[in-house]
Every structure is written in structure tokens, then in C-alpha cells.
Amino acid sequence: MMRARWFRTASGVASALSAALFLALPAIVLAQTELVVWHAYRGDEKAAFEKVVAEYNAANAASGVKVATLAVPYDAFADKITAAVPRGKGPDIFIYAQDRLGGWVEAGNTIEPIDFYVDDVTKGRFLPTTMQAMTYKGQIFGLPLNYKVITMVYNKKLVASAPKTSGELVKLAKTLTDPAVGKFGLAYWYSNFYYHAPLMNAFGGGVFDVSGKPMLNAPANVQSLDLILKWANQDAILPAEPSTALVTSLFNDGKAAIVLSGPWFLGEIAKTIDYGLAPLPTIDEAGGKPMRPWMTVEGVYIAAASKSKEAAYEFVKYVTDLAAAKILAVEGRQTPAIKAVYDDPKVGQDPILKVFREQVENAVPMPNSVEMTMVWSPVSTAMNTIVQKSATPQAAMEAAQKEVVDAIGRLRKQ
Amino acid sequence: MTKSWTHRRRFALGVVLATLLGVGIGAALLSRSLKQQGLSREGRTAVITLGALTEVVQQTGGQGDTLRAAIAEFAAAQERIRSIRVISLSGARLDASTAPEDAGEKAAPRRLAPDEKPLFDQGQRIRAAVQTNLDEGAARKEEIEIRPAVGGGLELAGPYELNGSMAGIVRIETVALPLPPRPNPLVATLLIVGTTILFILLSLGLGERPRRLAIVSGAIVLLAVAAYGRYAALRTSGEIRASEAAASARVSEDEAIASAVLEATGIAADLPLSADRWDTDIFRRSRTGSGDEAGSGAGRAAAEERVTRSQANAAGVITRTTIALGLLSVGLLLFVGLGVMGRGAAGFVRHRHAYAYALPALIGMLVLVFFPFFYGIALSFTGSTIYNSDKPITEIWTGLKNFTEILGNFQIAKQTAGGLVFDYQNFYWTLLFTVVWTISNVTIGVTIGLLLALILNTKGLALRPIYRVLLIFPWAMPNYITALIWKGMFHQQFGVANQLIQVFGGQPIAWFEKTGTAFVTVLATNGWLSFPFMMVISLGALQSIPSDLYEAARVDGATRWQQFRSVTLPSLKPALIPAIILSVIWTFNQFNVIYLVTGGEPAHSTELLITQAYKFAFEQYRYGYAAAYSTVIFLILLVYGIWQNKVTRATEGI
């Protein structure tokens, strides 16, 4: 009795289930390839990026590819990628700066190499240095979306026309400096290695040589540090113990005439300050060579765990292409890596974007190797001791060089 | 229940279980090692064939019909090869293939299809590996990739060069080699049975004397394990010799095939084959040394020496394993024989409900606490870094190397021309700093906390609740905000500290320039953060001291200081001591304050052990080393905790 009833119920459930399955079947067959994109954008950038994605989805509705975006907080972004992707989870596509690229490639199973897909036409549409930032050990791992560089930001009330050479800069800055009331002609975080890089690169210095060996103690690097000491002590145009917070508050109080900083700084400028942007000056001491800031490039990468890499690449190509770049530049205030977008007057004539575009001609992609992470700590120590005059540039950079070489040696030995 | 078990029976059971364990694990290990020996032989011979093939590919110029003819000939002649593919990187082309799926429409030469992207990526990976190893002057990245193939056998890929630069990869799939025979199960069985019988016979004469039984049974078990170790050593050294023989046989076989192929395809060997360079590891480093004398008398002597060396290595490993297994077995024997197991099991059965209730919590602890903890400990014995984090722990095992590197370096300071130069990254400096930091912080916290508590405890103090709230405030604020505010206050030009100094006519101080002044900044910050806790604890304890104690003291004519010494302090002790213990551990690992205020500056001299460990892991990517560092921190705190526990128990006794 019991058994019979049980059987009847069971068969009823089964037939209902199969009917449901049957109804659901067409939906499953038509099921789209869903691509998940992780980004760390907020505000206008996020809105612009989502608009690009929406347009892509509308255009590709027929092909069954649907792109979904997920904003992941910036602080947690890299760690989430490192933890999720090698275990087969996480997004299909993600957007991040190139500084972690080497680490992800070395750790393996995180970023998909895309040389196989990238043709010469695609490669040629980007600013060459941004493409270089996406390349690690000769392999391409992403397409560049935008770049960020340091330029000169000046207070228009204090500076009539931006200085073009370091001689002009120092001369102008001296007239605007009065340490007694905390006024400075020039303010930037010169004790930070990243902010010092433009000067270092002007002298032809750098962190790694062509074969990737550290060269912190190179004469060019030392020369650039000597110049910063001259600016800070003899010319006395710079505040002591600089930091981003200090630079921002000085500029907003009208106490700093010229600031060297990147696009992130623009959002922090007070509404009352009338500011202008100009490319970094040339350095007389370096034979008239321009200051060349480090460029961080945001790349669009395909996760190694993605199930639909070809579809993902189509999206990567789209989002780095002209139509998307226009939206991202005009509405998201980004500086796209694609060259053609600057032919558009809305972008090319924009007083801010125009300067970034000009500056990028004299910019160096920041190293994307793992070894770079081992440079920051020793080099910060060196920069601090140099600025505080507890060691000469030569001695401090020798110490940093030794520490970096040791750290790299130990890392590779094991 | 234990009564019914005589010592003899227990020891007999112990002998059976211990031999089963020792010899059983030994057999499993031997079986695995023989299998690995077989696989590595398979890999090595396949690499030799790949080397021969690569040379043929290079001699044909890397493309055209000659290449395809040569490949086909080679695949036909070498029976270990299932298929060959030659892929050139420029243009992502398949230049030649003998794989059955590359026939008809898909016959080579052609561009790689979209679904063949992994082949191209492999080529790129190998090219990057070759370049990396060249740049670094080291062998870090695999230049020859070996993977198990789908249908048994191996898949190998290695680079081929044209005109001095890498042009593409040669890929082969091989047919599986037969593995060496497994260890004979008869040996293990005989040992286990024989040991048991021997013990039973001997125990008849020994009677119920546990000590003698323990010695005799222990000796017998050790003997059995050692005998199996001997067997393992014999088998292993035989296999090592066989591997060497197989390799040199393969070299001559492939040399014959390669020259025949080159002759048949009409490429007269104007360049002699360099067969002596085919026997390489995955970094394309020759196993046969310079290789010039291979085949000659000296070459044979070198090969013989190589065999002896790896046999000696293997013997060392086997000896160590045997000793470890022997100790393990004797441990089990004594555990069973001395009745510990019986008592433990009885206790478990008696309290089975309690164990059942505790089980969910135990499982939770196991997953959330013990697994990460033991994983960290295991990691501390490896050379794990970002470059090899995907490898299993056994492959990167380095033993105690990390610990000797951390603890064995006593060079804290070096005498140079310019005076003493400290190595602030030295473990002992950091330890010294951490200890000084902990002691001074706890002292400051307790002193200020107690002082404020005494003030707040004054009878009839107006607005007391308001003061209390205000004084707890530093504790209530997130400590990273506090830390950043304090860092700002010590700014050279704009910080409050220097402004104050200037008001009183002093010179501004560069706080973060010298170790001493940097220490003052973190001390101030952490003092600010830690006194409210001590104050709350002291205040609570103060209010619980009965007032008649003070009354009695006053009647006896005690001064206020005497009242404080003899009444207040002893009454505070039970509350303060646990608080101090906690506070020491918190301060010892106070990551936020150091990391945010000084960041270890200047030159890592204000680094705590915990911030230093963080830097090793996340700035230098030396995971194993950082894990060892953390293990040392744990051990220090463990010792402290045990010692403190004793002290506390002593105070409770008062």
C-alpha cells in the first residue's frame, strides 16, 4: 500500500520535473556566453565603462554574448585575482595596472597570453609604450586601455606661463618661495621614488638595465639625486618631508605654485584654485633632455580560467577600440591608450587630456616585473636617507642596489 | 578490561602493528620511488630522442618538404615515438606533423587553428624561458616541457634554433616505457610474519617482565625495518644503474637513426651530429658534463662515477627514512605494549558522549585553525617563493635551511671605516627592538592607565562619567586612524610636535630620520592607544576593593603611600596580571602602529618581527622564509605564554 502510494507520488514528481526540464530546454540551448568583467572603477569612470559595456551588449545581442561588470574595491582587487583565478574561479576579463603583470605571469595560471589573437593592425593602433607595458618577456598579456602619467600642475594665479626648462623652473620657483610663511615655488613628493622617476629618467637612469639586472647605483641615477638635493637645499624651492597630503594642502591653500603629480591629483584640487596643466620641463643639467615620468597603463586581461577566451578577446578588442575610448575619455575622464581617439576634437582639444597626451610622448612604462616589488622598500629607504642627508646619494643607492640584488638572488636561489 | 591482557599479549600485538606500520610504509615509499625512477627514466630517454630530433630539424633548415620527409622517417624509425610536430613561432605555423589528426585538410604546413592556441602559447612560454635563463645566467625556467600524455606516455616540447635564435618548438608524444617491477610483496610479508613468530618464541622464555619484553620486542622491530631498508637500497641502486644504461643505449640508438634519416633525405651530414649533448635535463644542461669525452674511456668512467654518486645519494635518503620509520614503529610498539593505547581507548569509550558533543567544534577548529597553522609550519620548511608556489611542498622542501638562515646570522653590526654599521634586517636586531618596544609600551600603558584610574576613583570627583568617556575615546577609535593622525603630528614642518618645540624656541626635529626619535613617535602613538584598556581594568578592580580595608589601615596609622603599597596594589594584582599578559602579546604583534607610523624606517630599524615577516612575504615574495619567520614568532610567544602561565598560577596561589 505504502509502497504503491510512494511510487505514484514519485512518478508524479518525475513527470512534473521532466515537463519543467522540457520547457526549460530551449532556454538552455539559447543560453548565452556570459563574460564577467572585474574592474575597480567608481563614479564617472564606472558610469562610462558601464555605458561601453551596455553598448557592446546591445550590438552583440544576436551572437549570444553578454558581458556583465562587477566593481571590485581597488584595495582588494589584486589579491582577489591572485586568489581566485588560479583556482578556476573569478572573472573572464579584468582590468588592472601593469605593475602586477609580471607577478601574475610568474605565479602562473592567472593571465592568458594573447599573442595568438593579436594581429599587427590591432597592435599598431595603440601608443607603442602602452603596448610595451602589456608585454612581459616578449609575450603580450593584455591590450592597453588607458595610461596615467605625472605632469606639471600650476596655479594660474601665481604662474603666468608654465616653465619649459629646469632653469626657468628654478628661477620662477625662487621668486615664489618663502619658507618663513610656508610658501614654495615647487612642491611634489620628491622623496618618493615614483615621483622622483621623471628626473631619474631624464638623466637616462632607471631601475633595471636591458637584460633586467638592477642598476640603482648607476651614475645617471646618482646625478638625478644630486639635482634634487640642489633643488631642496641650495635653491630651497621645495618643502621638507613632502607627502601627497602635504602637497595637496599646500596647493589648495595657494602656497605651492607648481606641483608635479598625476591625474589622481586633479580630483583633490579645491574648487577655488584656478589651475592649468603643462608637460614636465626639460632638464638643463641633463643636457636639455625632458623629464620622463613613469607611466602606469591599465590593461584589459583575459583570465586563464575563462571558459570562453575567444569571445573574451572580442570584448577586449572592442573596449580598447575607438568608439569605447571616446566614451571613456569624454565621460570617464580617462586618457585612452589608442592613438586615434586624440583626433577627435572633444578629446584632442581638451585642455587636460591634451597635456597628458603630450606628456606620454616622453614617458617610460613602469617596469612590470616581479623584481620591481623588491625595489620599492630598499629604494624608499635610500630616498629618505638621501633627502634627510644621512647618506650621500652614491652611498645610499649602493646600499639599495646591494639589498635589491641580494633579495632577487635569494628569491631565485630557492 | 585491560586486566585480561597480559604484558606478553600486548607486546605481541604491538610487534605485529609496529612491523606492519614500519615495513608497510617502507613498502609504499619504495614502490613510489621505483615508479618515479621509472618515470624519470622515461623522461630522460624521451629528452634524448627530442634532442636528436631537434638536431635533425635544425639541419633540415626547419621547413619545407625535406623537413617533413625527415620527420616522417624519424617517426617511423624510432618506435618510442607516437607523433612529432614542428611548430614555428613566426606566423604561428605548423610546419610538419606526423600526428594522425593532421591529415587531409589539416595536413602541415598550415597556420595553427584557433583551438591549437595552447601549442603556440607553449612555444612562446619556452621562448620566454630560454630568454629568462639566458638573462639571469641561471636555470630557473623549464626549457623543455614534459607532461604526461593523454593515452599514456609523455608529451615533450623543446626549442629549435635557426641561425642562432629560437625559431619554434619540436613536440613529440611518446609511447609509455614499461615501469620497473614493483617491490616484491613476499619480502614484506615474510618480514612481518617472521618477526611476529620470532617474538612469540622469545617471549615464551621472557615471561611477564615488561622491561625485558620492551627491549626485545623493540630490537626485533628495528631489525625488521632495517632489513626492509636494506632491500629497498638494493632495488634502488639496481634501478639507477638500469636508468643510466637505458640512457646511453638510447643515445647510440638515436644517433644511428638520425644519421640514417639525414642520409635518406639527402642532407649530407656536413655538420657532425653532437649526440653527446642530447642527454640533458629540462633546462637543456648536459648531464654528461662537457660531453666531449662521452663514449670514450673517460666518458665511461664519468658515467660510472655519476651512477655511484646518485646511488650514494639514494642510499642516504633510504638510511634517513629507515631511521625515521624505525623510531615511528618503536613508538607505536611502546604505545601499544605499555598499555597507553588500551587506557586511551577505554577513556574514549567511557566519555563517548562528551567526544560526540565536542566533535562539531573540533572539526571547525581543525579546518579553521589547525589546518592553516600546520600548513604554515610545513611551508616554513620549504623554499616556497612566487616562482614556485604552484609546485607541491615535497619538491621545494629545504629542511631547516630557513631557520638556520634566520637564527644563525649573528652579524648585527659590522665595524667599518665610518664606525659601526648595523644590519637592521638581522633577526636579533628586530627581536631586540620588539622586546624593547613591548616592555616600554606595557610599562607606559600600565603606569598611565593606573594613574588615571586612581584619579578617576577619587570620591566626589565632579563630572566623572564625562572624563571616563573622554579617556576611553582613544581606545574606541579605529587604531589605524589614530596612527595616521599621530604620524601627521610628527611631520617635520607642519606637525604639532615640532610647532610646539618651536614655540619654546627649539629646533624642529626630523622625527623619522633617527632610530631613537622614530621610536619615540611609535611609542607615543601606541601609548595613546593602550592606556585606556589598562585604565578600565584598573578602575574596575579599584572599585571592587572593600573600603573597610582602607579604614582598618587608617586605624592602624598607615600613610596614603603605605595604603597604596599594602592594600591597593595587592588587590589589583589578580586583575592586572592577566591584562598585562594580554597586553604583552598584543603589543608584541602590534602591526598597525609600526606599519603606518614609521613603516620600519629608518632603514628597517624600527621593524617589529611581525612587520618584517609581512615584508618578506609580500614585498620579497619569499613565502617559505616568511613562514619560518612567523613560526619563530609563534615559538617565542609560546615560550612566553608557558612561562607567564606558571607565574600566574603562582600569583593565584597567594
Side-chain angles (χ1 to χ4, degrees):
Chain A
M1 242 318 245
M2 277 288 279
R3 195 166 292 172
R5 205 189 304 153
W6 180 87
F7 179 77
R8 233 174 295 142
T9 330
S11 61
V13 168
S15 59
L17 264 182
S18 59
L21 258 182
F22 193 73
L23 286 174
L25 213 56
I28 291 169
V29 170
L30 269 184
Q32 306 150 326
T33 326
E34 200 196 49
L35 297 173
V36 178
V37 185
W38 282 10
H39 62 84
Y41 294 137
R42 290 183 308 179
D44 290 346
E45 271 187 305
K46 185 178 175 198
F49 184 72
E50 277 169 359
K51 187 175 167 192
V52 169
V53 172
E55 282 186 6
Y56 183 80
N57 283 339
N60 289 276
S63 68
V65 175
K66 188 173 174 296
V67 180
T69 62
L70 181 69
V72 177
Y74 179 80
D75 295 338
F77 198 98
D79 291 339
K80 273 187 194 285
I81 292 289
T82 309
V85 178
R87 283 158 195 82
K89 301 218 161 51
D92 297 279
I93 300 161
F94 59 98
I95 299 175
Y96 202 78
Q98 94 271 24
D99 56 338
R100 291 295 288 263
L101 180 58
W104 280 327
V105 174
E106 291 287 354
N109 269 331
T110 311
I111 303 191
E112 182 75 9
I114 55 170
D115 296 81
F116 191 73
Y117 300 133
V118 181
D119 48 43
D120 290 343
V121 180
T122 312
K123 231 185 282 183
R125 66 186 197 194
F126 300 106
L127 294 159
T129 39
T130 61
M131 205 60 222
Q132 198 185 324
M134 295 290 104
T135 309
Y136 181 74
K137 303 240 159 110
Q139 263 183 295
I140 302 172
F141 285 92
L143 293 184
L145 185 63
N146 60 60
Y147 59 86
K148 292 190 176 79
V149 281
I150 291 178
T151 62
M152 190 154 71
V153 185
Y154 60 95
N155 188 330
K156 281 188 176 167
K157 226 191 265 172
L158 302 170
V159 179
S161 73
K164 295 222 162 14
T165 68
S166 60
E168 284 174 38
L169 174 73
V170 172
K171 217 172 99 194
L172 176 73
K174 272 184 181 169
T175 63
L176 293 164
T177 302
D178 183 3
V181 294
K183 277 183 70 172
F184 296 95
L186 178 65
Y188 70 104
W189 194 6
Y190 57 88
S191 62
N192 177 288
F193 195 58
Y194 177 79
Y195 284 84
H196 176 66
L199 207 52
M200 174 181 78
N201 292 329
F203 280 90
V207 175
F208 300 109
D209 64 12
V210 265
S211 67
K213 292 190 184 66
M215 50 171 271
L216 287 171
N217 55 352
N221 292 349
V222 175
Q223 279 168 15
S224 71
L225 290 160
D226 285 334
L227 182 60
I228 203 68
L229 284 182
K230 180 175 164 286
W231 283 0
N233 302 320
Q234 276 153 267
D235 299 330
I237 51 173
L238 290 162
E241 274 192 48
S243 66
T244 45
L246 175 70
V247 169
T248 310
S249 74
L250 284 176
F251 193 74
N252 283 343
D253 293 345
K255 287 182 167 175
I258 297 174
V259 159
L260 310 185
S261 196
W264 51 90
F265 178 68
L266 303 182
E268 298 184 14
I269 299 176
K271 295 269 181 292
T272 50
I273 302 285
D274 182 19
Y275 68 92
L277 260 64
L280 295 172
T282 56
I283 301 296
D284 302 340
E285 288 83 349
K289 296 255 178 58
M291 283 174 94
R292 296 168 68 201
W294 265 344
M295 173 170 65
T296 46
V297 179
E298 271 191 334
V300 192
Y301 310 105
I302 300 176
S306 172
K307 297 271 183 303
S308 27
K309 287 170 185 149
E310 275 170 70
Y313 179 69
E314 286 309 312
F315 177 74
V316 171
K317 222 166 109 177
Y318 176 84
V319 82
T320 53
D321 207 347
L322 190 58
K326 274 183 190 164
I327 298 175
L328 291 174
V330 175
E331 292 174 30
R333 302 304 296 158
Q334 290 189 347
T335 35
I338 183 167
K339 283 184 282 192
V341 77
Y342 297 94
D343 297 338
D344 186 317
K346 266 202 212 147
V347 182
Q349 298 307 319
D350 183 285
I352 289 172
L353 299 183
K354 186 177 72 179
V355 177
F356 285 130
R357 173 68 185 88
E358 243 175 277
Q359 184 64 59
V360 86
E361 289 298 322
N362 285 313
V364 184
M366 194 161 89
N368 58 12
S369 58
V370 189
E371 288 79 7
M372 190 61 203
T373 30
M374 276 168 269
V375 171
W376 289 114
S377 172
V379 97
S380 310
T381 305
M383 292 298 294
N384 282 331
T385 51
I386 292 166
V387 170
Q388 292 158 351
K389 283 170 284 179
S390 356
T392 63
Q394 183 73 47
M397 292 314 265
E398 290 289 355
Q401 168 81 4
K402 187 177 170 298
E403 202 179 317
V404 172
V405 168
D406 285 354
I408 293 175
R410 279 196 296 262
L411 177 66
R412 285 183 185 155
K413 189 179 63 192
Q414 289 175 330
Chain B
M1 193 171 122
T2 32
K3 263 184 201 155
S4 62
W5 279 80
T6 62
H7 291 300
R8 253 194 349 224
R9 274 200 211 163
R10 269 211 306 271
F11 271 106
L13 179 64
V15 167
V16 175
L17 291 179
T19 338
L20 212 57
L21 180 80
V23 174
I25 294 181
L29 289 178
L30 176 63
S31 160
R32 211 186 60 165
S33 130
L34 289 180
K35 194 175 164 198
Q36 264 167 1
Q37 181 67 242
L39 288 178
S40 90
R41 180 187 308 165
E42 188 176 342
R44 183 172 169 186
T45 51
V47 167
I48 293 171
T49 300
L50 184 69
L53 186 57
T54 305
E55 194 154 337
V56 169
V57 170
Q58 286 171 180
Q59 296 230 0
T60 59
Q63 52 199 333
D65 292 332
T66 347
L67 169 74
R68 284 182 282 281
I71 294 303
E73 289 265 336
F74 200 106
Q78 176 51 276
E79 57 176 0
R80 289 279 155 222
I81 289 184
R82 195 184 292 155
S83 70
I84 305 174
R85 281 169 150 184
V86 180
I87 292 150
S88 66
L89 286 178
S90 82
R93 295 181 63 78
L94 180 71
D95 284 335
S97 170
T98 67
E101 62 264 33
D102 294 329
E105 288 258 299
K106 298 185 73 185
R110 62 176 169 85
R111 199 185 139 79
L112 289 173
D115 61 329
E116 288 167 326
K117 178 171 183 284
L119 296 182
F120 178 76
D121 287 345
Q122 184 176 42
Q124 287 281 20
R125 198 161 54 231
I126 290 174
R127 190 193 47 68
V130 171
Q131 190 59 44
T132 305
N133 291 344
L134 198 68
D135 284 345
E136 294 177 4
R140 185 163 70 75
K141 296 255 176 185
E142 298 176 3
E143 296 183 10
I144 295 175
E145 293 192 354
I146 307 181
R147 307 276 178 269
V150 182
L154 300 170
E155 262 176 28
L156 284 87
Y160 73 88
E161 289 165 9
L162 293 176
N163 309 321
S165 67
M166 183 182 154
I169 53 168
V170 181
R171 264 179 72 99
I172 58 173
E173 272 188 44
T174 65
V175 183
L177 271 184
L179 286 176
R182 303 172 68 80
N184 195 339
L186 207 61
V187 180
T189 321
L190 273 180
L191 273 175
I192 294 167
V193 175
T195 317
T196 316
I197 293 174
L198 184 66
F199 176 75
I200 290 172
L201 289 179
L202 284 177
S203 71
L204 289 177
L206 285 169
E208 286 291 318
R209 276 172 296 194
R211 186 171 297 173
R212 286 197 188 175
L213 283 170
I215 291 170
V216 169
S217 60
I220 291 176
V221 168
L222 280 182
L223 208 67
V225 173
Y228 200 79
R230 183 78 201 123
Y231 169 68
L234 280 175
R235 279 296 311 267
T236 310
S237 63
E239 289 303 329
I240 288 172
R241 187 166 293 280
S243 286
E244 196 66 34
S248 68
R250 181 65 74 90
V251 171
S252 14
E253 183 191 352
D254 283 344
E255 194 170 9
I257 294 175
S259 34
V261 165
L262 287 179
E263 208 162 308
T265 44
I267 310 158
D270 39 342
L271 289 166
L273 288 170
S274 47
D276 45 334
R277 296 214 188 88
W278 294 345
D279 188 9
T280 68
D281 61 11
I282 53 170
F283 306 107
R284 294 196 298 161
R285 290 181 303 193
S286 176
R287 282 179 208 268
T288 47
S290 67
D292 293 338
E293 73 274 17
S296 65
R300 244 171 278 129
E304 190 56 39
E305 195 200 311
R306 217 159 44 239
V307 171
T308 324
R309 199 164 352 108
S310 28
Q311 280 173 344
N313 280 347
V317 173
I318 290 171
T319 313
R320 281 196 295 278
T321 318
T322 309
I323 291 172
L325 280 179
L327 291 178
L328 191 71
S329 308
V330 172
L332 178 68
L333 170 74
L334 296 181
F335 185 70
V336 176
L338 296 177
V340 184
M341 185 181 80
R343 284 195 294 278
F348 187 79
V349 171
R350 197 167 333 117
H351 301 296
R352 57 187 176 280
H353 294 297
Y355 282 104
Y357 290 135
L359 193 66
L362 278 178
I363 292 174
M365 296 260 288
L366 202 70
V367 174
L368 298 173
V369 179
F370 292 112
F371 174 71
F373 177 75
F374 286 111
Y375 183 76
I377 302 249
L379 207 59
S380 71
F381 293 104
T382 68
S384 173
T385 65
I386 190 172
Y387 291 135
N388 57 21
S389 54
D390 52 341
K391 290 206 178 102
I393 273 182
T394 44
E395 257 180 59
I396 46 178
W397 195 261
T398 52
L400 289 171
K401 187 162 155 284
N402 288 331
F403 291 96
T404 52
E405 213 173 296
I406 294 168
L407 299 174
N409 180 3
F410 294 102
Q411 278 231 315
I412 303 177
K414 217 170 33 201
Q415 188 73 46
T416 63
L420 270 187
V421 174
F422 283 92
D423 173 13
Y424 293 125
Q425 300 240 50
N426 184 292
F427 172 76
Y428 292 102
W429 168 270
T430 316
L431 179 64
L432 177 75
F433 181 83
T434 310
V435 170
V436 171
W437 152 266
T438 309
I439 293 174
S440 32
N441 266 308
V442 173
T443 314
I444 289 177
V446 171
T447 318
I448 299 182
L450 189 57
L451 213 66
L452 288 171
L454 284 171
I455 294 171
L456 281 182
N457 201 36
T458 319
K459 274 213 180 76
L461 185 72
L463 302 176
R464 182 155 58 177
I466 295 180
Y467 297 143
R468 202 155 47 185
V469 169
L470 281 181
L471 286 171
I472 292 177
F473 208 64
W475 193 22
M477 244 165 61
N479 61 8
Y480 54 92
I481 293 179
T482 315
L484 289 176
I485 291 175
W486 276 89
K487 184 188 167 75
M489 292 208 283
F490 286 107
H491 188 272
Q492 193 183 353
Q493 255 170 353
F494 304 95
V496 174
N498 277 352
Q499 305 270 0
L500 269 179
I501 291 175
Q502 276 167 308
V503 165
F504 292 106
Q507 282 296 313
I509 299 171
W511 290 97
F512 301 110
E513 188 175 319
K514 295 252 158 55
T515 309
T517 48
F519 182 55
V520 171
T521 66
V522 277
L523 210 56
T525 313
N526 203 50
W528 172 261
L529 281 170
S530 58
F531 79 79
F533 172 71
M534 286 298 173
M535 186 190 79
V536 169
I537 298 281
S538 315
L539 197 56
L542 278 177
Q543 282 166 351
S544 68
I545 304 175
S547 57
D548 44 348
L549 283 180
Y550 292 104
E551 246 164 65
R554 266 200 301 279
V555 170
D556 287 345
T559 62
R560 292 205 66 130
W561 173 245
Q562 280 171 327
Q563 283 178 30
F564 177 73
R565 290 246 352 238
S566 318
V567 179
T568 314
L569 269 190
S571 320
L572 282 180
K573 224 175 176 181
L576 267 187
I577 287 196
I580 289 175
I581 296 172
L582 270 182
S583 170
V584 162
I585 292 176
W586 287 341
T587 318
F588 199 87
N589 282 340
Q590 180 53 282
F591 183 88
N592 289 358
V593 170
I594 294 286
Y595 189 77
L596 293 173
V597 177
T598 65
E601 290 293 305
H604 300 293
S605 64
T606 59
E607 211 87 72
L608 292 185
L609 290 174
I610 193 85
T611 55
Q612 192 69 58
Y614 171 86
K615 290 193 173 170
F616 282 128
F618 300 105
E619 277 177 8
Q620 306 198 354
Y621 295 123
R622 298 167 69 197
Y623 304 138
Y625 191 80
Y629 218 84
S630 311
T631 308
V632 172
I633 300 176
F634 164 73
L635 290 178
I636 292 171
L637 286 179
L638 184 71
V639 169
Y640 167 79
I642 292 171
W643 173 76
Q644 194 57 270
N645 231 351
K646 273 197 187 139
V647 175
T648 326
R649 224 175 288 145
T651 51
E652 276 167 358
I654 288 172

